[in-house]
Amino acid sequence: MRLLGTLNKFGKLLNYSLARNFPKRSMACSRFEYVKSFEQDDSILPNVWIVIRIDGKKFHKFSKTHDFEKPNDENALNVMNAAATAVMQEFRDIVLAYGQSDEYSFVFRKETVAFKRRSAKLLTYVTSLFSSSYVMQWAKWMNLPLAYAPCFDGRVVLYPSEQNLKDYLSWRQADVHVNNLYNTAFWKLVLEKGLTNQQAEAKLRGTFSADKNELLFQEFGINYNNLPAMYRKGTILLRKRVILGEKSRQAVVPLHEDLISSQFWKEHTEILGKYVPGTYNAPQTLPRLVEMQLNGKELDDEAEEPQNLAGTS
């Protein structure tokens, strides 16, 4: 005890000596701190759905440089899906992500307090994380190296009601149908009929969906409704409990369903209700995106705890 007391006294003397010889410095340039007053308060209103949508910058050139398959490149789409999955794994408050072509929308639950609901923080974090994850995932899906780094921009949009949110997602999925139907017909005319881009565009000008469906069936024997659902409906990412036998684990699961229908929202009630991930009965062959998340990890019955970014500055 006497030795311990002596050591404590020595420690106090040492700290005192260090404090005298190395006095604590005040914050450098503190007289300039007034510039912080120029920062604008960008806190997002409470009790609204926060949607962050990212879009590829000049992806027409990017896809041409990297020789994407036309009209759809499955591997390239899966790079997008994998990057979006990485964002969802970081932000537990994202209840749904929806992607198509070179864009992805991330829906944060209304009650989120991530980054104190600061718009700039959320936007820059999601956009930069998606961009870096896209680069990291590239080699896992694509057979050629990146010629240059891709670039994505982003925006924050707020939706006050559930119906507003549903309509937004319905709008994005309707956009998939319109664009993909046109692109499928266009590239069939160019790649298989030998038309120039200008000739194919002229042939499709003024046509309706029924006309394009008829063209695909009559000239190419293609029933558009039989094409892969990912091309026609885009990709919905939801956090689910993956059931494998008697074990389960939480993972981000890709779905290619009709989210315009009321049935989708009845089947996935966790999106708008109390957020408790629903179950996903795994097929015999797991989607590669899910398999990559589970690979090398023991399945367990414990859900991962939501990440709390409320106090992050």
Side-chain angles (χ1 to χ4, degrees):
M1 291 297 291
R2 182 177 298 177
L3 177 61
L4 182 60
T6 302
L7 289 174
N8 286 336
K9 289 180 181 179
F10 177 75
K12 291 179 181 179
L13 288 173
L14 179 61
N15 289 336
Y16 176 73
S17 176
L18 289 173
R20 290 192 63 184
N21 292 311
F22 301 98
K24 184 178 179 181
R25 296 179 61 187
S26 59
M27 184 177 292
C29 303
S30 59
R31 64 191 178 93
F32 300 121
E33 288 183 26
Y34 78 92
V35 297
K36 293 177 65 176
S37 64
F38 288 87
E39 294 184 14
Q40 298 293 311
D41 180 12
D42 63 347
S43 298
I44 293 172
L45 291 171
N47 202 36
V48 294
W49 296 98
I50 302 172
V51 175
I52 295 179
R53 185 166 90 238
I54 61 93
D55 291 279
K57 179 69 172 177
K58 295 183 178 179
F59 248 61
H60 177 76
K61 174 186 175 183
F62 183 83
S63 62
K64 186 176 181 180
T65 300
H66 293 92
D67 196 26
F68 283 9
E69 186 177 345
K70 304 294 185 182
N72 294 288
D73 189 307
E74 180 180 2
N75 288 329
L77 290 173
N78 277 319
V79 176
M80 294 285 292
N81 296 337
T85 297
V87 174
M88 285 192 69
Q89 288 174 328
E90 178 70 16
F91 284 95
R92 305 287 299 174
D93 279 357
I94 295 176
V95 296
L96 177 150
Y98 178 73
Q100 55 130 332
S101 186
D102 64 340
E103 73 168 56
Y104 241 99
S105 297
F106 298 94
V107 180
F108 284 77
R109 65 188 183 93
K110 296 174 74 172
E111 301 82 7
T112 183
V113 291
F115 289 108
K116 301 179 181 178
R117 297 177 72 89
R118 292 181 60 186
S119 178
K121 288 283 188 179
L122 289 169
L123 177 60
T124 54
Y125 200 139
V126 169
T127 306
S128 61
L129 178 58
F130 185 93
S131 300
S132 59
S133 297
Y134 187 97
V135 173
M136 296 294 290
Q137 291 293 330
W138 177 270
K140 299 177 183 178
W141 300 90
M142 305 298 287
N143 296 320
L144 73 167
L146 272 172
Y148 61 91
C151 181
F152 296 88
D153 62 34
R155 72 200 72 184
V156 178
V157 188
L158 309 180
Y159 295 100
S161 72
E162 292 181 0
Q163 191 58 53
N164 293 150
L165 178 64
K166 290 180 181 179
D167 288 345
Y168 167 78
L169 293 169
S170 297
W171 171 51
R172 300 320 303 144
Q173 189 167 68
D175 187 67
V176 176
H177 168 70
V178 172
N179 290 335
N180 188 63
L181 179 57
Y182 179 91
N183 289 335
T184 301
F186 178 89
W187 287 109
K188 282 292 179 181
L189 291 171
V190 171
L191 299 177
E192 296 191 17
K193 289 292 185 178
L195 273 64
T196 66
N197 288 13
Q198 293 77 14
Q199 289 171 333
E201 183 181 350
K203 186 176 179 67
L204 294 174
R205 189 178 300 131
T207 58
F208 297 98
S209 294
D211 302 320
K212 297 181 185 71
N213 275 300
E214 186 67 16
L215 181 148
L216 287 172
F217 186 75
Q218 292 295 333
E219 297 195 27
F220 303 99
I222 294 175
N223 183 334
Y224 180 76
N225 291 326
N226 291 337
L227 294 179
M230 179 166 64
Y231 304 159
R232 295 181 291 108
K233 299 181 183 298
T235 298
I236 305 161
L237 297 180
L238 295 177
R239 195 172 286 104
K240 295 286 187 179
R241 294 201 61 78
V242 180
I243 308 299
L244 291 172
E246 297 181 355
K247 297 287 186 177
S248 68
R249 185 179 177 84
Q250 203 173 115
V252 176
V253 174
L255 304 174
H256 312 293
E257 300 179 0
D258 182 6
L259 55 73
I260 298 177
S261 70
S262 59
Q263 184 62 30
F264 172 83
W265 300 97
K266 292 177 181 177
E267 291 180 0
H268 307 287
T269 55
E270 72 272 15
I271 300 171
L272 301 179
K274 183 178 180 181
Y275 191 63
V276 177
T279 57
Y280 174 75
N281 293 312
Q284 288 186 342
T285 303
L286 276 173
R288 186 183 170 196
L289 192 63
V290 176
E291 188 177 8
M292 290 172 67
Q293 295 175 68
L294 304 180
N295 188 32
K297 300 177 181 178
E298 290 188 13
L299 300 180
D300 57 67
D301 295 321
E302 296 297 326
E304 298 176 20
E305 291 296 324
Q307 184 175 11
N308 182 13
L309 299 175
T312 309
S313 60

